[in-house]
Amino acid sequence: MSDQPKGKKKKKRLNGRMIFWTAFFTIAVAVICGIIGYLFITVNGEKLLDANRDKLVVNGPTQVFDRSGKLMGELSVETSDPVESQDIPKLLKMAFVATEDKRFYEHSGVDFWSIGRAAVKDVVARSMVEGGSTITQQLAKNIFLTRDKTFFRKATEMSIAMALERQLSKDEILTMYLNRINFGGTTYGIKAASEKYFGISDLNKLEIWQMATLAAMPKGPSAYNPLRHPEASTARRAVVLDLMYEQGLITAEQRDQAKTVVYDYQPPAQQQKYPAFIDYVMDEAEDVMPDLTEDDLVRGGYKIYTTMDAQAQKAVEKAFADDDLFEKSVDDQPVQAAMMIMNHENGSILALLGGRDYERKGFSRINSRRQPGSAFKPIVAYAPALESGKFTMDSELSNEKQCFSDYCPTNLHGYSKTIGMTEAITKSENIPAVWLLNQIGVKTGISYAEKMGIKLDKNDNNLAIALGGLTQGTTVKEMAAAYSVFGNEGRYNDPYSIKQVVNQEGTVVYQHGNPEQKKVLSSDTAYYMTKMMQDVISDGTGKNAKLGDRPLAGKTGTTQSGISGSSRNRDAWFVGYTPEWTAAVWMGYDKPDKNHLLKGSSGEAAKLFSTVMKEALEGVPIKDFEAPDNLTQSTPEPSESAPQGITDLSGSYDNSTGTVKLSWSPAAEQADGGEYRIYRKASEEQDFSLLMSVLTTDAEDLSVVPGTTYQYYVTYYDKNSDQESEASNKVEVDVPKEELPASEEPSPDESAPDESGWPGQPSDGEFTPPPVQSGEPGQTDNGGNEEQGEDQGQAEPPATNTPGRGGGRGNPSFEPGQGSGQDNGLSGQGTGMPVNPDQGTATGTATGSVSDPPGNP
């Protein structure tokens, strides 16, 4: 009797015959489908090739519009007449073969071995890291009708490639490829590229380094454009030269020599409107739409709606074309500049220019990294200090000569026991900024800088950053975005230039939308920073940036040369904002050296800022910076334990002694070790500073100057509780002018210091002693103007990784040796954090303001 349950059939077991026939029919069907697919691809490839052989596919020009919807310009394809094979040097052809498809002469249009190798690498990397397209496939892609990124597109591309291989010789394919591929922007074809990037129409005159530069571009026509990205182009050129050497096309000597050539070609002027803004827009389009290449965008017939304000952009371009706004260079390397204006309420970029005489697809300095100098103080020190709640704009900060561990910055304007925060920013003193950062902690300062859009290096973990001494520096774009936080009630917006992109069919393929703003600072902090930086414009280093009656706040920044014996400057900054707009300006040389340094300082950048913004804001109603609702008082309430203040301070001038005498009643609660602190402000000064401390209830000011009015107040300080009382009543004392006999009156040219400064010093507006040798205490920035007067710190990197002296970090490209961190006007010497031996010095002062008329973003 069987044990198998009733009702269930016995399973049939597979035998060898069934397996054989199943496999046979499966393979047969697959082969038949493969043959049908191959025949379809072959016929389809031949058909598409015949239909598109003699044309470069373009869907009409891509159009770019400003923020009001007005057409800014069109991106049309730039080509030259096709070049015959015999007119293209063999070495130039082989440079492309070596770089793009070294098995070009071995495959039949599709290199299945390369595709397999690429697939294996993609699997190992778990992402697409390597492609397998041959030169023939790249040519097929350039003559295909659509720009979609699908499997069928790739399959059809392969079919066209195989059709090309059947109909044309290898040399004909390579020649067609070189005549059709994109070489950045709207430039297509090898001859057009040679003319654009080198000014050479005869390809036989190209040198090896030039051939390698062109052969480097197909991998990334935008990224390796030598005009826009010379460093990236040079690096990629070196890779191509290595490949050419490995494949026996050039000698090692030819390779090494070609690697050393510096690209410095300047193309002739073109007449396209707003080229700098359009270039920036195209770069941003590639970033926000990664599925589209620059080639796709140019040939796709898109409509790109931008944030550009035509009036502001024209103002920038007009000012940059005015040679009178720039220093004269000793040769043909001009002083350069970059500027960006943005609406801080939403982050929209209104105008920008990355250099003088900017050309389409040229080198833009908008994102070039430079040392910011004192323009960095509000970002990393002052704003975070206010935000901490431990300090206010009325706080007294340490201003004594001192070291912070091994870091010893110095002041140019001298020292005092304390200085008010507003005065410290206005004069751009060094010690208070470093002391403040030390109080709140370097990590806190770094955190706020990063929240405000500054990209810092991992080595920027030291007090030198208080004076703008950064390892890699920062950019015009980053500085404008950071200062926009102050003008936008503490909120940060990522800068953007594209509102919307529409394809040829009218479908919106990209929309910026309204991303949520990041709250970085409190509204109170932003408002008090604005109040203090308005004083920088009215009474400090930023006077050149004034916009008439329009409110403006900002900061200057200057970085010293870092060259021993030179007091000239490497970089000059002004960053500022109005109630509407924020803008940043940088000035300097592209390749600074001992013969290419700025004679002036941040005042020149402030002047350029003013020239642009006055015209950009013309017709925009003037409005004030508004205080936030429920604004907290800047002066904190005294604690319950604070000693009671003085209420009966009196003072008078004693003609017999030429001094001011002060007296007051004793404090109500005197303690052992208590003292009275006397604060003074002269008529020309912005804020009070500590004059002296005494134990008695009277004092005498021996340092008054005839013809000056002084104000005084007194506090009582209890050392035991470390508490200081409120300020007493203020008294004002006029010190009369001295009357000299007529015979003793000085002549007009002797009555005051020569405002032109000491011999060799440009007009400075501030009388400072002549500079001493670089590296000595008390060095001044001798290349100033009427805005000069900021602190500068010096850094002298050691040859080894030991603490170096200095107030700032220099540019990594500096030669080994002395460096300085300078804030225009003040010089400082100190011990810096460990730095790269190549780093030099940085000095900086920054003041600025900007405004942006209301309107659509």
Side-chain angles (χ1 to χ4, degrees), residues 373-375 377 382 399 409-415 419 423-434 467 541 555-560 779-781 787-794 807 820-828 842-846:
S374 289
K377 292 175 181 176
Y382 289 108
N399 196 34
T410 61
N411 284 347
L412 175 65
H413 299 113
Y415 307 90
I419 186 174
E423 183 180 5
I425 293 180
T426 302
K427 291 183 175 180
S428 197
E429 301 282 17
N430 281 341
I431 296 292
V434 178
L467 307 183
T541 57
K555 188 75 182 70
T556 51
T558 307
T559 63
Q560 204 174 28
Q779 179 179 1
T780 64
D781 173 8
E787 305 308 83
Q788 188 172 0
E790 297 194 65
D791 279 348
Q792 64 194 22
Q794 289 180 306
S820 66
Q822 158 186 349
D823 200 348
N824 191 9
L826 271 180
S827 79
T843 69
T845 68

Side-chain angles (χ1 to χ4, degrees), residues 571-599:
D571 305 294
W573 290 81
F574 183 84
V575 193
Y577 54 99
T578 67
E580 302 88 7
W581 292 352
T582 301
V585 175
W586 166 84
M587 274 185 169
Y589 283 94
D590 285 336
K591 302 173 184 177
D593 54 39
K594 64 180 181 179
N595 296 318
H596 298 93
L597 296 170
L598 298 173
K599 300 175 184 177

